[in-house]
Amino acid sequence: MKLRALTAAVLSAFAIAASPTFAQEGPQGGSIVVTYKDDIVTLDPAIGYDWVNWSIIKSLFIRLMDYKPGTAELTPSLAESYEISPDGLNYTFKLHKGVKFHNGREIGSQDVKYSIERTTNPKTESPGAGFFDSISGMEAYKSGKAKEVKGVVVLDPLTVKFTLTRPDATFLHAMAINFASVVPKEAVDKAGKDFGKKVVGSGAFMLAEWKLGQQLVLKRNPDYFIKGLPKLDQITFQVGLEPMTALLKLEKGEADFAGDGIPPAKFLQIRNDPKYKSMIIEGGQLQTGYVTMNVQMKPFDKLEVRQAINMAIDKARIVKIINNRALVANQPLPPTMPGYDKDYKGYAYDIVKAKELLKQAGLEKGFATQLYVYNVDPNPRIAQAIQEDLSKIGIKVALKNLAQANVIAAGGKPMTAPMIWSGGMAWIADFPDPSNFYGPILGCAGATAGGWNWSWYCNKDLDKRAQAADAMSSPAKAAERAQLWKGIFTDIMKDAPWAPIFNEQRFSIRSKRLGGSDALFVDPVRIPINYDHVYINK
């Protein structure tokens, strides 16, 4: 609610000027080690979209807008100031002068235009292209009818103007997500498809070393435009480490942050051990874990099949598998998100009814299918529980346990993954607004190659209603907008492209020498950690 009201309030103003976020207190210097099981696939901000690379990309690149550290409060970043027309259709950003890319060249407004056009170019296959559809001329550009996006205009070397086709309450959020990161054209042209491995950004850190399958090293950007940041001199990301191994390294002082979190098998032991009390940070999440069903693949093109699966999964049992670190979900939105319908009951756990629905679909004897799952615990155990539940109604599920990147790739290819358990990749909001739980993962724009709408569900009527909700930027219409979103998500559940399973709490564990406010380790927009502001205790 706070962020939606903030955006609406900004729209009623003409000019906004603010300084970039200043560093929080804490000593300068030192290096840390962060562990992950999976390798980092890409650091290209137009493409990277997973748990491992999300915050790394945020620290390598900057955007026109950002969020105050540890909060969901929008603040200018590369933009020194911005103006918004009274009708909410024109946004004019004035850039800070003298901000440099890591290659030493100063950033200008032409770089902003290029970066947005690169992300939205279909050849880039960016999963975030749909975030910018409200910009005028975007449809013609994406279809190849125009060579540029006419709604992004360079007014002078440090001023860029965006014209929208409709008022959009989420536009400032879109300017703060990774896909809006500013990149230098000359570096992209030189690296080509390897830009994701040879990135040149302008963020607090710069790429120093990358040994595929081993480690990635970031070093402090000495020319970073925000005074006092980053705190650390170096961050080493060690990959290929099982969560249990990572925990042992952390206990021995050989690592500082477990990127994959506390191993589920050790969760209760660690949570109840006094020596870990100061190392564990708990926070809520704008997150939902779910099973997708590809509505373009048989037999998931039948509504009764999708409804049967919703009713056959024992969600309460799955929550117990993860030591009750979550709430049972019955709709796409998490309870903390505006638009969540607390009165909606969803599909009850009912094996008898589920069997009846399969019979109505002409599949009384069941069928065989596949469930793709990220191969880090507890996801395989959750998938096994789903497999067992669906076997009770005659559905034989073969599990495909794969690396995170492979599951994501399968989901973004049409007619490939019949079902996906989203755990370990489950949706955490890019920004705290209900629209973010629709466009990329349930809207028509996300049902594209490389997208995250893994159910390949497209309801054009709901798309129109979503656009109408996002056009309601006035504070006076905040409650009405929330009601619109509430109806959209409950109507989605009538079509049942998902089986929502749970809304998970977030637990992070750090070494005792790693300092910074707890909010930095459960930052709502820098998942899983805000690298720019953490520091070494001295």
Side-chain angles (χ1 to χ4, degrees), residues 10-310:
V10 168
L11 285 170
S12 66
F14 178 71
I16 302 293
S19 299
T21 302
F22 286 99
Q24 297 183 350
E25 293 184 6
Q28 198 86 45
S31 62
I32 64 170
V33 173
V34 178
T35 63
Y36 283 105
K37 178 184 183 295
D38 285 338
D39 200 358
I40 298 157
V41 178
T42 181
L43 291 174
D44 187 336
I47 299 172
Y49 206 17
D50 61 50
W51 175 272
V52 179
N53 64 23
W54 189 252
S55 278
I56 300 176
I57 289 172
K58 280 194 175 295
S59 289
L60 286 168
F61 298 88
I62 58 174
R63 297 144 290 280
L64 289 172
M65 301 293 293
D66 204 342
Y67 296 87
K68 292 185 177 180
T71 78
E73 184 178 348
L74 277 164
T75 184
S77 182
L78 175 59
E80 181 181 64
S81 63
Y82 57 93
E83 296 180 358
I84 305 174
S85 62
D87 61 6
L89 295 179
N90 295 292
Y91 290 68
T92 304
F93 295 89
K94 185 72 174 180
L95 277 58
H96 281 282
K97 184 178 181 180
V99 181
K100 297 179 180 179
F101 285 117
H102 295 155
N103 62 10
R105 179 171 72 78
E106 290 192 11
I107 299 175
S109 49
Q110 184 62 48
D111 296 307
V112 175
K113 177 178 173 64
Y114 164 74
S115 299
I116 294 298
E117 291 180 341
R118 175 177 180 262
T119 291
T120 53
N121 189 323
K123 293 180 180 179
T124 304
E125 295 188 358
S126 170
F131 286 117
F132 308 99
D133 282 349
S134 64
I135 299 174
S136 178
M138 188 59 72
E139 183 176 352
Y141 177 70
K142 285 185 174 182
S143 67
K145 296 179 181 178
K147 293 183 178 181
E148 64 175 346
V149 180
K150 72 174 184 180
V152 186
V153 178
V154 173
L155 299 182
D156 63 45
L158 290 175
T159 310
V160 60
K161 179 181 177 181
F162 291 81
T163 299
L164 310 185
T165 57
R166 62 183 187 278
D168 184 356
T170 71
F171 184 70
L172 288 178
H173 291 293
M175 292 295 100
I177 61 175
N178 284 4
F179 303 113
S181 297
V182 182
V183 300
K185 183 177 185 299
E186 67 273 19
V188 175
D189 289 345
K190 181 178 179 180
K193 292 184 178 180
D194 288 334
F195 181 69
K197 296 288 193 300
K198 301 176 181 179
V199 292
V200 177
S202 53
F205 290 95
M206 51 204 303
L207 183 61
E209 176 188 303
W210 193 345
K211 295 180 180 178
L212 295 180
Q214 299 180 46
Q215 68 177 28
L216 180 146
V217 180
L218 304 184
K219 65 179 181 181
R220 172 184 171 83
N221 175 11
D223 295 324
Y224 191 50
F225 78 112
I226 299 180
K227 185 179 180 180
L229 291 181
K231 296 295 186 183
L232 299 169
D233 290 333
Q234 181 173 296
I235 306 174
T236 299
F237 297 91
Q238 295 182 354
V239 300
L241 297 173
E242 294 291 339
M244 286 295 292
T245 304
L247 181 62
L248 290 173
K249 288 180 71 70
L250 193 145
E251 290 175 343
K252 294 177 181 179
E254 297 172 359
D256 297 285
F257 187 80
D260 294 310
I262 303 170
K266 298 275 286 185
F267 178 77
L268 291 179
Q269 177 186 336
I270 292 172
R271 182 85 185 277
N272 296 327
D273 190 331
K275 73 178 181 181
Y276 294 109
K277 185 175 182 180
S278 64
M279 301 166 64
I280 298 175
I281 303 102
E282 177 182 356
Q285 294 191 101
L286 296 172
Q287 182 266 8
T288 300
Y290 51 91
V291 173
T292 63
M293 291 165 275
N294 191 324
V295 300
Q296 296 183 3
M297 297 179 71
K298 294 182 180 298
F300 300 105
D301 57 336
K302 295 185 177 183
L303 173 61
E304 295 87 353
V305 171
R306 303 194 300 270
Q307 291 175 327
I309 287 174
N310 266 275

Side-chain angles (χ1 to χ4, degrees), residues 363-378:
L363 294 164
E364 184 175 3
K365 295 182 179 179
F367 59 91
T369 189
Q370 294 178 324
L371 175 64
Y372 284 63
V373 56
Y374 176 31
N375 60 5
V376 169
D377 192 57

